[in-house]
Amino acid sequence: MGSKSDSPCLPQARSPLFALMGSPVAVPVGARSLAAAAPAGGSKLTHPGKAILAGGIAGGIEICITFPTEYVKTQLQLDEKANPPRYRGIWDCVKQTVDGHGVKGLYRGLSSLLYGSIPKSAVRFGMFEFLSNQMRDANGKLDSKSSLLCGLGAGVAEAIVVVCPMETIKVKFIHDQCSSNPKYRGFFHGVREIIRDQGIKGTYQGLTATVLKQGSNQAIRFFVMTSLRNWYRGDNPNKPMNPLVTGAFGAIAGAASVFGNTPLDVIKTRMQGLEAHKYKSTWDCAYKILKYEGPKAFYKGTVPRLGRVCLDVAIVFIIYDEVVKVLNKVWKTD
């Protein structure tokens, strides 16, 4: 994370893509790099290219660790009250899954989420760094209000580019396992069948809910994370962050996002399930959940989601920061 550059190189980039990737073609002759442009005494900016690579690595590792909790959360959210409940709780869901499909059953749909987690985190951190580099003060500090806007932008970008199609496929895979005759044999077979039956739009179900969820998610997480980092570092923007401290701050940021937007996550999951045809729109889905299941239904799956998200965000921020440190040594942007 670093200081805001006084150089006009970023605003004058020919396109956001060139600026994001740091293309030398897009930067006027004589313009300095992001890091070199940092004012004396301030911290250096993180090159968006490094953020993309570090974010992708962090996202891939994290999802392999936390996927079982994502599976359980999704199953509980799909277990609607309108029908006789299939599960009596988190552990009953785990038990039934393991009894019926073995431990590997808890990883059903991992491939679709893994294929999405790497580009999702890459887009998220790349866009956040790109936006935050424009909004830092002369000392390299990003205030909490600006981090909220940068996080919102990062969340919307990842929702449109990656999250909506990948989450739709993941939810359909998990929901498909609940049927008596599963029809999806794997990631590519499932994608082919979904597109054949519903077209490309079949992978973009619940786009509005996804944009709302991801935008609010990242806005809350980066706001909390930036606020805690600023508090911890005080007047020294270069104060080292211990990985344990980063992880603790990440867990707090994750918890805040769970309590802040679980209702949107429930709506998104319903809009992407195999029974999404029951809902005319995102708002119709929210109305029917409230009418037929009550307000508590908006917080179904909160406990397993809380456990997964806190671990998720903590792991991602720790790995991201550590990978950036390594990249700063081998990838010189000065």
Side-chain angles (χ1 to χ4, degrees):
M1 318 298 278
S3 65
K4 184 174 181 179
S5 169
D6 293 328
S7 167
C9 62
L10 285 173
Q12 292 182 12
R14 292 191 299 181
S15 74
L17 178 60
F18 278 125
L20 186 62
M21 297 303 296
S23 170
V25 177
V27 182
V29 176
R32 296 171 296 172
S33 70
L34 293 173
S43 61
K44 292 182 179 181
L45 295 171
T46 296
H47 191 288
K50 294 179 181 178
I52 290 173
L53 182 56
I57 292 173
I61 295 174
E62 172 274 323
I63 199 60
C64 289
I65 296 173
T66 64
F67 184 79
T69 58
E70 171 68 13
Y71 177 91
V72 173
K73 179 214 72 170
T74 303
Q75 287 283 37
L76 291 177
Q77 289 181 345
L78 292 172
D79 190 27
E80 300 182 28
K81 285 185 178 179
N83 300 315
R86 180 179 180 182
Y87 305 114
R88 296 190 299 273
I90 298 171
W91 297 114
D92 183 54
C93 178
V94 173
K95 183 179 183 299
Q96 288 193 42
T97 301
V98 173
D99 289 346
H101 305 279
V103 175
K104 68 179 182 180
L106 293 171
Y107 284 87
R108 182 68 184 271
L110 172 62
S111 58
S112 62
L113 203 58
L114 182 60
Y115 296 149
S117 289
I118 294 175
K120 176 178 73 173
S121 292
V123 170
R124 175 192 306 166
F125 283 99
M127 182 58 72
F128 180 81
E129 295 295 353
F130 172 68
L131 295 175
S132 66
N133 285 345
Q134 323 300 314
M135 303 182 74
R136 296 180 183 278
D137 63 22
N139 294 317
K141 186 175 181 179
L142 181 69
D143 62 47
S144 299
K145 190 177 299 183
S146 295
S147 71
L148 185 73
L149 296 176
C150 293
L152 178 62
V156 170
E158 72 178 26
I160 296 173
V161 177
V162 181
V163 178
C164 189
M166 300 310 295
E167 285 279 299
T168 299
I169 293 169
K170 179 212 70 175
V171 172
K172 288 182 184 296
F173 275 10
I174 293 177
H175 206 171
D176 179 59
Q177 185 178 337
C178 297
S179 65
S180 58
N181 185 28
K183 62 180 180 179
Y184 301 144
R185 298 192 298 269
F187 176 76
F188 293 107
H189 176 260
V191 172
R192 185 169 65 249
E193 289 299 306
I194 292 170
I195 293 178
R196 187 176 69 176
D197 294 342
Q198 305 172 34
I200 294 296
K201 68 178 182 180
T203 64
Y204 268 90
Q205 289 179 264
L207 177 60
T208 300
T210 303
V211 168
L212 290 172
K213 178 212 168 185
Q214 295 303 124
S216 60
N217 238 353
Q218 303 314 322
I220 293 171
R221 291 178 189 177
F222 279 107
F223 170 80
V224 173
M225 194 68 186
T226 300
S227 298
L228 291 173
R229 277 176 165 166
N230 287 343
W231 167 77
Y232 180 79
R233 284 173 168 157
D235 296 327
N236 180 11
N238 290 313
K239 182 177 180 179
M241 291 283 294
N242 184 290
L244 293 179
V245 174
T246 299
F249 288 173
I252 294 172
S257 69
V258 168
F259 289 114
N261 81 344
T262 286
L264 292 173
D265 188 49
V266 171
I267 295 170
K268 175 196 71 67
T269 299
R270 296 289 182 84
M271 289 295 293
Q272 292 173 334
L274 296 179
E275 298 181 356
H277 61 275
K278 296 194 308 185
Y279 309 115
K280 297 177 182 178
S281 65
T282 299
W283 309 115
D284 181 59
C285 178
Y287 171 76
K288 287 181 176 177
I289 292 173
L290 180 63
K291 180 178 180 180
Y292 298 112
E293 302 176 47
K296 290 184 179 180
F298 286 113
Y299 281 89
K300 291 185 73 172
T302 296
V303 174
R305 187 183 180 220
L306 184 64
R308 183 192 70 81
V309 170
C310 289
L311 185 60
D312 168 347
V313 180
I315 291 173
V316 166
F317 274 111
I318 289 173
I319 296 175
Y320 175 78
D321 282 1
E322 295 308 303
V323 172
V324 167
K325 290 176 184 178
V326 173
L327 291 177
N328 285 337
K329 296 178 181 179
V330 299
W331 180 357
K332 300 298 182 182
T333 54
D334 291 345

